């Protein structure tokens, strides 16, 4: 659609120069003004001429009429004026055929660009806190982060995915106290992460009654920071148990990281940064702690060192950013976390700027809203958590049931059940704008009939099966006339490149998810209303198979970009 839009913009820009000189309007300016009319009966593209009446000092109705008379372009079958709008109608069959063939020619690259060529993006995402549960609050950072990675790769960036594990901090002091007081080696060995979570929750329950436990925890963490052997060994053990657990989840989602350098990695990289802040006079002492005052920017102070000299979350983030810039020389460094951390990022981004690092404006925080399940809010500390792995397991079980009930072609297939179950959760999650708070309804997510992952995957499988039945072929599309459904479907295919751009510029994978639903709806309408395999005319049949092939291609790309598997049979 962009090509067509550019052609319209060129024609308008030329007409403006010849009709209204000395006024000029660049094609790019016109391009920005062009709209898609809500009803395609009016046209496929429209220029609201009131946007020009100031510059051209004429009423919109007059501008639209003059332009309509002046413009000649063979890309369009009709250019007309109505109520101050200049409407473009394309030659539907030609347009549809051209789009389909473009998709078939470009294949999995359709929609891609090389705008990121030679540039590097670091993406910091998922990053669970070791020894705390990997719960559904982390679903957002994991799938938004990975999808942003895939989107950037799609347009040519080199991507470095970093799992900034929360493997350092007071929680380890808490866990050590809890383990030594209420735990045992046998229990941890047997139940692994579940036992660590139990101990963590127990600590918080007990600390409510006995606040002295918090001091003990702080002391244990200080010992860890001082490289106490015994604490280091425990720490390593806890980290490994947790990592093994996370990796099971990542495998289900087909996610791999380039680096698992967590917070602990930056231990030795912090002192030089702290020194730099001191030298620059940025640190002030506040109740014994060292902070950077940010009053001027209407933010509370950024904490750098606690009273006992131990470092904090922002301190590690600052050291990590400097290290990443030196190591990867990124053009952009993206952090995906819950919106609860907005202030944290705003604060330390500012500190980086104050430290004189010129890459401060290449740091981007991408926040997202909260998640509850069936109306219940989650909280790690009280033990009211739903682990991601349990949610996946539940979804997979349910999917198996549905597939058996429906006598699906892949009913006994474990792998497909996993792909559909996990996919359902990912899709449901990524259907909403990321800042929106989500109430997860498992039943809704798993429905095969709603606007869900299973429905999208099912549509993909339907394309696969049609093409399989038709037999291999290098289909092309040469429509002489096209049905309404065919044109509507081609129009959706044509929108894909713009959606990719939108998803990237807004850091919003949901743009792709919603596009998938639009594409599925258009395809299913086409599928129900147009004969494909049973079309009598061979040429019509080939055109429709070409269309089906193009849908399968774009749907496959789009699903892949939001971390969704694409089974050929369901
Ligand atoms: N571990 C943190 C959490 O679970 C997220 C870390 C995000 N990345 C960062 N560089 N701060 O809340």
């Amino acid at each position: 659609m962009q090509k067509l839009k550019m052609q319209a913009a060129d024609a308008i820009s030329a007409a403006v120069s010849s009709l209204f000189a000395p006024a000029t309007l660049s094609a790019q300016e016109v391009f920005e003004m062009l709209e898609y009319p809500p009803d395609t009966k009016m046209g496929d593209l429209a220029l609201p001429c009131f946007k020009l009446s100031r510059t051209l000092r004429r009423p919109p109705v007059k501008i639209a009429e003059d332009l309509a008379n002046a413009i000649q372009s063979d890309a369009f079958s009709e250019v007309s004026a109505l109520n101050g709008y200049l409407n473009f109608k394309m030659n539907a069959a030609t347009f549809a055929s051209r789009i389909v063939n473009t998709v078939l020619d470009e294949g999995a690259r359709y929609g891609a660009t090389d705008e990121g060529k030679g540039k590097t993006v670091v993406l910091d995402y998922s990053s669970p806190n070791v020894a705390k549960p990997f719960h559904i609050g982390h679903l957002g950072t994991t799938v938004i982060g990975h999808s942003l990675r895939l989107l950037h790769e799609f347009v040519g960036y080199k991507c470095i995915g970093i799992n900034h594990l929360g493997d350092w901090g007071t929680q380890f002091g808490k866990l050590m106290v809890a383990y030594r007081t209420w735990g045992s080696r046998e229990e941890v060995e047997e139940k692994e992460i579940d036992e660590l979570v139990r101990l963590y929750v127990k600590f918080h329950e007990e600390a409510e009654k006995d606040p002295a436990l918090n001091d003990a925890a702080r002391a244990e963490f200080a010992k860890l920071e001082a490289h106490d052997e015994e604490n280091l060994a425990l720490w390593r053990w806890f980290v490994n148990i947790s990592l093994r657990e996370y990796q099971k989840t990542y495998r289900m989602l087909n996610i791999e990281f380039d680096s698992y350098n967590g917070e602990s990695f930056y231990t030795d990289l912090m002192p030089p940064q702290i020194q730099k802040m001191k030298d620059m006079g940025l640190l002030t002492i506040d109740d014994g702690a060292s902070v950077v005052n940010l009053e001027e920017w209407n933010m509370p102070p950024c904490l750098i060192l606690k009273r006992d000299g131990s470092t904090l979350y922002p301190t590690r983030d600052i050291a990590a950013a400097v290290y990443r810039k030196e190591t990867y020389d990124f053009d952009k460094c993206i952090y995906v976390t819950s919106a609860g951390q907005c202030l944290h990022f705003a604060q330390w981004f500012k500190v980086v700027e104050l430290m004189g690092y010129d890459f401060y404006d290449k740091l981007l925080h991408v926040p997202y809203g909260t998640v509850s399940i069936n109306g219940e809010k989650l909280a790690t500390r009280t033990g009211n958590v739903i682990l991601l792995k349990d949610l996946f397991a539940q979804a997979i079980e349910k999917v198996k049931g549905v597939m058996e009930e429906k006598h699906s072609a892949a009913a006994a297939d474990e792998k497909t059940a996993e792909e559909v179950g996990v996919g359902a959760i990912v899709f449901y999650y990524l259907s909403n704008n990321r800042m929106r708070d989500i109430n997860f309804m498992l039943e809704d997510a798993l429905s095969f009939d709603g606007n869900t992952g299973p429905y999208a995957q099912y549509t993909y499988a339907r394309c696969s099966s049609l093409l399989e039945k038709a037999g291999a072929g290098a289909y092309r599309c040469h429509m002489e006339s096209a049905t309404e459904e065919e044109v509507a479907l081609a129009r959706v295919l044509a929108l894909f490149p713009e959606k990719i751009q939108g998803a990237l510029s807004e850091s919003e994978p949901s743009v792709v998810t919603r596009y998938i639903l639009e594409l599925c709806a258009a395809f299913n309408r086409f599928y129900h209303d147009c004969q494909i395999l049973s079309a009598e005319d061979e040429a019509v049949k080939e055109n429709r198979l070409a269309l089906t092939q193009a849908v399968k291609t774009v749907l496959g790309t789009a699903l892949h970009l939001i971390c969704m598997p694409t089974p050929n049979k369901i």
Side-chain angles (χ1 to χ4, degrees):
M1 216 51 193
Q2 268 167 319
K3 228 182 253 163
L4 210 64
K5 211 166 153 184
M6 208 58 229
Q7 281 170 328
D10 279 335
I12 295 171
S13 167
V16 166
S17 306
S18 68
L19 285 175
F20 307 115
T24 59
L25 208 56
S26 74
Q28 192 53 41
E29 284 171 288
V30 180
F31 188 88
E32 311 281 331
M33 294 177 193
L34 285 168
E35 293 174 354
Y36 297 120
D39 178 0
T40 51
K41 289 210 175 61
M42 322 256 309
D44 297 289
L45 273 176
L47 179 73
C49 293
F50 67 85
K51 292 195 178 171
L52 303 185
S53 49
R54 241 302 178 83
T55 329
L56 303 181
R57 297 166 201 234
R58 279 174 185 77
V61 173
K62 177 89 175 90
I63 299 175
E65 278 167 5
D66 289 352
L67 286 173
N69 289 330
I71 288 177
Q72 299 227 333
S73 165
D74 19 310
F76 300 97
S77 60
E78 195 187 318
V79 183
S80 59
L82 186 70
N83 303 331
Y85 278 82
L86 181 67
N87 292 320
F88 292 79
K89 251 188 165 13
M90 61 206 177
N91 184 328
T94 318
F95 162 80
S97 305
R98 200 182 67 202
I99 290 299
V100 170
N101 291 332
T102 306
V103 175
L104 296 178
D105 287 339
E106 295 181 12
R109 293 287 301 151
Y110 175 67
T113 64
D114 56 6
E115 65 190 80
K117 210 168 153 203
K119 296 195 190 131
T120 301
V121 179
V122 168
L123 296 109
D124 173 320
Y125 63 100
S126 198
S127 315
N129 294 321
V130 173
K132 290 194 210 170
F134 193 7
H135 56 79
I136 88 154
H138 285 109
L139 180 61
T141 166
T142 306
V143 297
I144 294 170
H146 197 61
S147 176
L148 290 179
R149 176 196 181 131
L150 297 170
L151 281 160
H152 278 91
E153 278 174 347
F154 193 51
V155 297
Y157 287 93
K158 176 172 176 209
C159 292
I160 312 287
I162 300 183
N163 196 321
H164 189 74
L165 283 176
D167 62 358
W168 208 243
T170 328
Q171 83 253 32
F172 285 94
K174 293 177 183 171
L175 201 58
M176 281 166 195
V177 171
Y179 171 70
R180 290 186 182 124
T181 321
W182 307 288
S184 73
R185 178 160 283 272
E186 296 72 46
E187 290 276 296
V188 174
E189 264 165 9
E190 194 197 317
K191 299 192 195 125
E192 303 207 305
I193 192 115
D194 294 340
E195 175 64 4
L196 296 185
V197 170
R198 186 191 73 84
L199 288 171
Y200 184 78
V201 170
K202 172 98 177 150
F203 179 92
H204 282 277
E205 281 164 11
E206 297 294 328
E208 287 272 301
K209 293 176 255 168
D210 179 7
L213 282 170
N214 284 317
D215 297 328
R218 261 193 292 276
E220 289 306 325
F221 178 59
K223 266 168 77 184
L224 183 63
E225 286 222 281
H227 300 285
D228 174 84
E229 273 308 320
E230 211 178 305
N231 279 8
L232 265 177
L234 262 191
W235 168 78
R236 229 171 265 129
W237 186 40
F238 294 156
V239 171
N240 285 335
I241 289 176
S242 306
L243 253 184
R244 269 205 303 278
E245 181 65 33
Y246 303 151
Q247 269 156 351
K248 283 188 214 157
T249 305
Y250 294 141
R251 231 171 284 135
M252 281 190 176
L253 289 165
N254 217 348
I255 293 180
E256 279 176 39
F257 290 93
D258 299 284
S259 161
Y260 279 93
N261 284 344
E263 296 186 36
S264 67
F265 179 82
Y266 302 98
T267 313
D268 298 335
L269 299 173
M270 284 184 280
Q273 299 310 321
I274 297 168
Q275 190 58 45
K276 183 170 158 79
M277 291 181 224
K278 275 193 192 138
D279 295 346
M280 295 180 78
L282 290 171
L283 289 185
T284 50
I285 304 296
D286 182 354
D287 197 19
S290 303
V291 306
V292 177
N293 189 315
L294 297 174
E295 221 170 66
E296 205 177 308
W297 296 275
N298 291 320
M299 287 188 277
C302 183
L303 292 162
I304 302 296
L305 289 174
K306 282 194 218 168
R307 219 177 336 171
D308 62 8
S310 54
T311 60
L312 287 125
Y313 187 42
T315 328
R316 296 189 274 276
D317 260 329
I318 293 166
V322 175
Y323 171 83
R324 288 172 190 174
K325 183 64 191 167
E326 281 167 2
T327 309
Y328 306 112
D329 193 22
F330 56 73
D331 295 277
K332 204 159 38 160
C333 182
I334 297 176
Y335 299 84
V336 187
T337 78
S338 74
Q341 298 194 28
C342 285
L343 178 61
H344 161 74
F345 283 96
Q347 286 175 306
W348 76 258
F349 285 0
K350 186 46 99 182
V351 173
V352 167
E353 182 183 349
L354 294 174
M355 289 173 82
Y357 288 116
D358 59 2
F359 63 82
Y360 73 92
D361 60 351
K362 300 194 159 78
L363 307 172
L364 176 69
H365 180 221
V366 175
Y368 60 87
T370 61
V371 183
S372 47
I373 293 202
N374 299 330
E376 275 196 71
K377 272 252 153 59
L378 305 164
T380 322
R381 294 184 175 191
T382 59
N384 182 18
V385 290
I386 295 181
L387 301 184
L388 212 46
K389 64 168 182 176
D390 294 341
L391 184 67
F392 285 164
Q394 222 180 332
I396 294 168
E397 253 344 281
K398 290 220 160 122
V399 163
K400 272 190 206 156
V402 177
M403 283 169 61
E404 266 156 36
E405 213 174 279
K406 294 204 166 197
H407 303 290
S408 102
D413 189 41
E414 292 281 332
K415 182 158 179 285
T416 309
E418 182 179 311
E419 289 178 334
V420 177
V422 172
I425 292 183
V426 172
F427 195 93
Y428 186 83
Y429 184 80
L430 290 179
S431 304
N432 293 295
N433 277 8
R434 59 181 158 76
M435 279 308 281
R436 205 162 124 193
D437 294 334
I438 294 182
N439 179 20
F440 221 102
M441 300 298 230
L442 197 53
E443 290 297 324
D444 295 352
L446 290 173
S447 154
F448 274 58
D449 306 316
N451 282 333
T452 60
Y455 159 74
Q457 286 173 323
Y458 192 78
T459 306
Y460 181 85
R462 174 172 274 171
C463 295
S464 295
S465 118
L466 270 170
L467 293 162
E468 201 189 337
K469 280 188 199 137
Y475 304 113
R476 302 300 292 176
C477 191
H478 301 289
M479 297 197 227
E480 273 165 28
S481 66
T483 65
E484 211 176 294
E485 293 79 18
E486 287 169 321
V487 181
L489 182 52
R491 203 191 304 274
V492 179
L493 288 174
L495 288 174
F496 187 56
E498 286 158 70
K499 300 291 177 178
I500 296 296
Q501 292 304 319
L504 275 165
S505 65
E506 292 160 41
S507 305
E508 188 67 87
S510 65
V511 171
V512 179
T513 317
R514 280 193 298 268
Y515 172 76
I516 289 172
L517 291 174
E518 218 182 307
L519 183 56
C520 289
F523 177 77
N524 287 318
R525 233 173 286 129
F526 158 76
Y527 176 83
H528 285 294
D529 294 348
C530 303
Q531 294 181 314
I532 305 174
L533 292 174
S534 54
E536 276 170 20
D537 185 322
E538 272 305 311
V540 170
K541 180 170 160 184
E542 159 145 13
N543 288 335
R544 291 184 178 163
L545 285 170
L547 197 45
T548 306
Q549 174 76 61
V551 171
K552 180 180 170 180
T553 302
V554 176
L555 199 49
T557 308
L559 285 167
H560 163 76
L561 288 171
I562 56 159
C563 322
M564 293 280 295
T566 48
N568 278 316
K569 279 199 180 70
I570 289 187

